[in-house]
Amino acid sequence: MSILDNVGNTPLIRLKFLNTQRNVKIYAKAEFMNPSGSVKDRAAKEMLLDGIERGLLTKQKTIIDATSGNTGIAFAMMGAALGYKVKLCIPSNACIERKRLLRVYGARIIETEPLEGIDGAIMTARSIAAAEPDKYFYPDQYSNRANIIAHYKTTAEEIWYQTDERITHFVAGTGTTGTFTGTSKKLKELKPNIETVIVQPDSPFHGIEGFKSLDSTLQPDIFEPQLVDKRIDISTEAAYKMCRRLVREAGLFVGISAGANVEAAKRLAETAPDNSVIVTVLCDSGTRYFSEPLWEDINDSN
Ligand SMILES: Cc1ncc(COP(=O)(O)O)c(C=O)c1O
């Protein structure tokens, strides 16, 4: 069995501490339990296997992509497991834990202009891959349909069975939009009246790592806007606050985007009809953000 065989099939955890006093249940998919620690294992696995199957990723090629962290970590882990070199373009202000982890797995990092954010990293990866197409396999997670298919085939199916087909709302924020688009698409096929809710940072200059504001940055090609039934905007501070609640009230030490997703699910639960079953995503682990302001002033609770 390879490490890739352990991607997905993550637990669905009931968030009882968010008791809404109403008959509405909130669940979260524990994606931090994937082998490289994030939801991005699903997309990375599907994109690499698809590339191999189509003859685009051969043994001589180096995998190159632009990533603010988690996809890169997934590629780095899978590159090591499958025997491929990995090169990643990443804004130089990405946090140290992520950059170090990429290097631990053996990936090469190209640091890009921090002010250009992830869009700058995407341009760099694109131009390197375009200059030497025989040398690189560029999965381009923002345009690669395998990113959506991963969630269509796995995340949505798992949620469907884990809720005994009772899910009524799916809530997820967006980086590439793969999680939101792929999962929503399949869930709506299974049950057309499921409400799909997109989570967005409330400002273009936000600290919700992994999320990309669809208003102020390039809209990924794989995004399907017609799948959005509702949108909830979350501030970085509200996401931080929910991260602290998740670790102290549920023992779930998760990243900032997970905090934003759960905060949005909680707000949705306040007005959702009785018997609603809301599912959201815990994208990655809190260990990836030790150097962020989020944990600086956390105190002993007793
Ligand atoms: C921490 C984190 N949360 C959320 C996301 C968003 O996932 P997706 O790219 O499927 O939209 C990402 C994507 O990189 C991420 O790294």
Side-chain angles (χ1 to χ4, degrees):
M1 185 179 262
S2 134
I3 193 83
L4 272 76
D5 298 320
N6 289 291
V7 173
N9 284 318
T10 53
L12 187 71
I13 297 173
R14 169 100 188 267
L15 301 181
K16 272 197 175 157
F17 77 101
L18 294 176
N19 194 344
T20 55
Q21 310 289 338
R22 304 177 50 232
N23 191 12
V24 173
K25 294 189 174 84
I26 305 176
Y27 292 88
K29 223 30 197 142
E31 292 301 299
F32 58 88
M33 293 179 76
N34 276 303
S36 89
S38 87
V39 66
K40 300 306 302 199
D41 279 7
R42 294 179 189 266
K45 176 181 169 181
E46 189 69 29
M47 290 189 285
L48 294 187
L49 296 184
D50 176 67
I52 293 168
E53 200 179 298
R54 292 198 289 133
L56 299 172
L57 175 55
T58 52
K59 280 288 173 196
Q60 307 71 31
K61 285 196 176 172
T62 296
I63 300 161
I64 186 165
D65 210 350
T67 167
S68 60
N70 282 329
T71 311
I73 294 166
F75 280 146
M77 178 197 78
M78 291 176 195
L82 298 170
Y84 293 98
K85 284 190 195 143
V86 177
K87 197 179 265 187
L88 299 158
C89 302
I90 176 165
S92 62
N93 58 342
C95 64
I96 181 75
E97 293 93 332
R98 292 190 178 212
K99 288 195 256 182
R100 191 161 290 171
L101 192 51
L102 292 169
R103 291 194 171 109
V104 165
Y105 278 118
R108 206 173 134 213
I109 297 177
I110 297 172
E111 301 204 10
T112 59
E113 181 55 55
L115 287 177
E116 290 173 9
I118 189 66
D119 289 345
I122 294 171
M123 311 284 201
T124 307
R126 258 186 210 156
S127 66
I128 294 174
E132 288 183 273
D134 294 339
K135 184 170 171 197
Y136 293 105
F137 171 66
Y138 178 38
D140 188 5
Q141 55 169 338
Y142 292 90
S143 315
N144 190 333
R145 290 199 60 79
N147 180 358
I148 295 180
I149 291 165
H151 296 284
Y152 181 93
K153 286 200 313 201
T154 69
T155 320
E157 290 278 349
E158 290 167 30
I159 292 171
W160 184 242
Y161 291 113
Q162 286 171 316
T163 59
D164 292 324
E165 306 179 5
R166 287 177 300 118
I167 176 173
T168 57
H169 299 73
F170 177 65
V171 178
T174 55
T176 64
T177 79
T179 310
F180 175 83
T181 306
T183 311
S184 300
K185 204 175 167 75
K186 179 68 181 185
L187 287 172
K188 280 181 178 289
E189 282 172 19
L190 291 165
K191 188 171 168 184
N193 62 352
I194 282 180
E195 193 168 288
T196 48
V197 181
I198 203 163
V199 186
Q200 289 287 283
D202 73 343
S203 129
F205 305 103
H206 64 89
I208 308 177
E209 201 162 320
F211 279 11
K212 213 164 152 332
S213 160
L214 291 170
D215 296 333
S216 57
T217 58
L218 296 173
Q219 191 160 304
D221 290 345
I222 57 169
F223 182 46
E224 296 183 29
Q226 78 281 4
L227 291 168
V228 180
D229 292 321
K230 189 179 260 176
R231 164 180 165 160
I232 298 180
D233 290 5
I234 299 292
S235 68
T236 303
E237 200 37 62
Y240 279 8
K241 221 166 156 179
M242 184 51 80
C243 285
R244 296 187 187 116
R245 286 196 66 190
L246 280 159
V247 70
R248 289 293 168 93
E249 297 178 51
L252 291 165
F253 184 35
V254 293
I256 306 160
S257 67
N261 279 346
V262 173
E263 176 63 23
K266 187 197 86 179
R267 290 186 196 173
L268 184 70
E270 284 158 13
T271 54
D274 264 356
N275 298 316
S276 290
V277 173
I278 300 173
V279 176
T280 192
V281 185
L282 304 175
C283 316
D284 66 359
S285 156
T287 53
R288 299 240 154 116
Y289 306 90
F290 269 130
S291 60
E292 299 280 319
L294 163 62
W295 303 117
E296 259 164 27
D297 56 351
I298 192 118
N299 299 313
D300 294 347
S301 62
N302 49 22

